[in-house]
């Protein structure tokens, strides 16, 4: 796994590069996610005196054969910002690792204990054969339809679902449309790249744009692996 450190509008001293390698323990990261191929660390500097306590920003991007994981933080110096960003990254990696482990199941239940552990499970008779199965409907969580999803119990929260017909447009037009609706982001199809794209508001009058480029080598995300939707 490679660690790439770069600066945006600032110089990155060699001492800080070494500190990054020491702070981001490769063995610890790979223990939580063995598919990691690269860590990008970007350092930027805010020269506004009013933001002296948040003048240095560090963004860590973890790349692997799945969704990108990113953590960023700002502090009065790059070392403190790196510490905060590294803590966020580890927390997100651990949460993702625990989610995977819980889906696979960390332990098997002995057959003799299934009836006592799992409500409504079939029982074994004296010959070790399955007895009559009686489902406990009263304990089963209700299943409801929310948009295209079947939600069991509380489930993920989908506040609203919309489908729009969209003609390809330029980045300038997308910015104009975003300002018209008063949103902080705008989803559009870029007329130059023909890719689904999002333009978003950053600081003051700065904007960013994200393009989605299909990766033929990326693993398909299984159903249920994504997070909840909200807004």
């Amino acid at each position: 796994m490679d660690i790439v450190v770069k600066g945006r509008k600032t110089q990155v001293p060699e001492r800080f590069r070494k500190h990054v390698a020491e702070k981001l323990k490769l063995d610890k990261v790979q223990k939580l996610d063995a598919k990691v191929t690269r860590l990008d660390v970007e350092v930027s500097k805010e020269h506004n005196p009013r933001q002296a306590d948040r003048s240095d920003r560090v963004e860590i991007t973890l790349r692997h054969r799945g969704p990108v994981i990113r953590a960023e933080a700002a502090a009065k110096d790059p070392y403190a910002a790196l510490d905060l960003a590294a803590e966020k990254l580890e927390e997100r990696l651990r949460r993702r690792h625990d989610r995977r482990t819980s889906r696979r199941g960390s332990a098997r239940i002995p057959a003799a204990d299934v009836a006592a552990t799992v409500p409504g499970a079939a029982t074994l008779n004296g010959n070790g054969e399955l007895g009559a199965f009686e489902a406990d409907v009263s304990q089963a969580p209700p299943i409801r339809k929310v948009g295209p999803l079947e939600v069991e119990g509380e489930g993920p929260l989908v506040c609203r679902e919309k489908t729009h017909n969209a003609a390809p447009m330029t980045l300038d037009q997308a910015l104009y449309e975003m300002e018209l609706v008063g949103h902080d982001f705008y989803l559009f199809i870029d007329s130059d790249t023909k890719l689904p794209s999002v333009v978003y508001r950053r600081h003051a009058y700065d904007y960013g744009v994200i393009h989605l480029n299909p990766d033929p080598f990326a693993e398909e995300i299984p159903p249920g692996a994504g997070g909840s939707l909200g807004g």
Side-chain angles (χ1 to χ4, degrees):
M1 182 179 72
D2 297 326
I3 296 181
V4 179
V5 183
K6 59 183 178 180
R8 180 160 57 89
K9 298 181 180 179
T10 186
Q11 295 292 327
V12 180
E14 188 62 29
R15 177 188 170 194
F16 183 79
R17 295 178 186 272
K18 293 180 179 179
H19 182 71
V20 169
E22 295 172 357
K23 185 67 179 179
L24 301 177
K25 303 292 186 182
L26 300 185
D27 54 344
K28 192 173 185 179
V29 172
Q30 291 181 322
K31 184 177 180 180
L32 294 172
D33 193 332
K35 297 181 180 179
V36 177
T37 58
R38 174 170 161 168
L39 272 172
D40 289 339
V41 178
E42 183 178 273
V43 184
S44 58
K45 184 80 172 179
E46 173 59 58
H47 298 285
N48 187 343
R50 296 181 180 179
Q51 299 186 20
D53 58 336
R54 296 173 56 85
S55 60
D56 290 273
R57 177 174 296 274
V58 173
E59 180 180 291
I60 307 173
T61 303
L62 186 151
R63 305 185 185 278
H64 59 157
R65 290 176 290 172
V68 169
I69 300 176
R70 180 175 288 110
E72 62 178 301
K76 61 182 179 181
D77 63 75
Y79 294 91
L82 176 65
D83 290 345
L84 294 173
E87 289 177 5
K88 292 181 181 180
L89 180 70
E90 182 177 347
E91 179 185 351
R92 290 169 188 174
L93 275 173
R94 194 173 300 280
R95 192 185 311 143
R96 186 171 182 268
H97 178 266
D98 292 344
R99 182 184 178 92
R100 283 180 167 182
T101 303
S102 62
R103 285 207 309 267
R104 290 195 298 263
S106 57
R108 295 179 179 272
I109 303 174
D113 299 336
V114 170
T117 307
V118 183
T123 58
L124 298 176
N125 58 25
N127 298 324
E129 299 173 343
L130 286 175
F133 174 75
E134 296 181 0
D136 188 354
V137 180
S138 63
Q139 296 184 9
I143 297 178
R144 55 195 172 93
K145 193 78 172 177
V146 180
L149 304 176
E150 286 190 357
V151 180
E152 181 177 337
E154 294 298 325
L157 176 63
V158 180
C159 294
R160 184 180 299 172
E161 180 184 6
K162 290 184 177 180
T163 301
H164 295 281
N165 294 326
M169 64 179 66
T170 64
L171 176 59
D172 288 342
Q173 181 65 24
L175 286 170
Y176 175 70
E177 297 280 351
M178 183 182 72
E179 294 295 345
L180 284 181
V181 296
H183 288 174
D184 290 329
F185 69 93
Y186 191 81
L187 176 65
F188 69 104
I189 299 176
D190 194 303
S191 58
D192 294 328
T193 64
K194 303 298 187 289
L195 296 175
S197 306
V198 172
V199 63
Y200 61 95
R201 192 190 314 278
R202 300 187 74 242
H203 307 292
Y205 294 98
D206 291 339
Y207 300 96
V209 61
I210 301 173
H211 301 288
L212 290 182
N213 189 23
D215 186 352
F217 300 104
E219 294 180 349
E220 183 177 353
I221 300 176
S228 302
L229 299 178

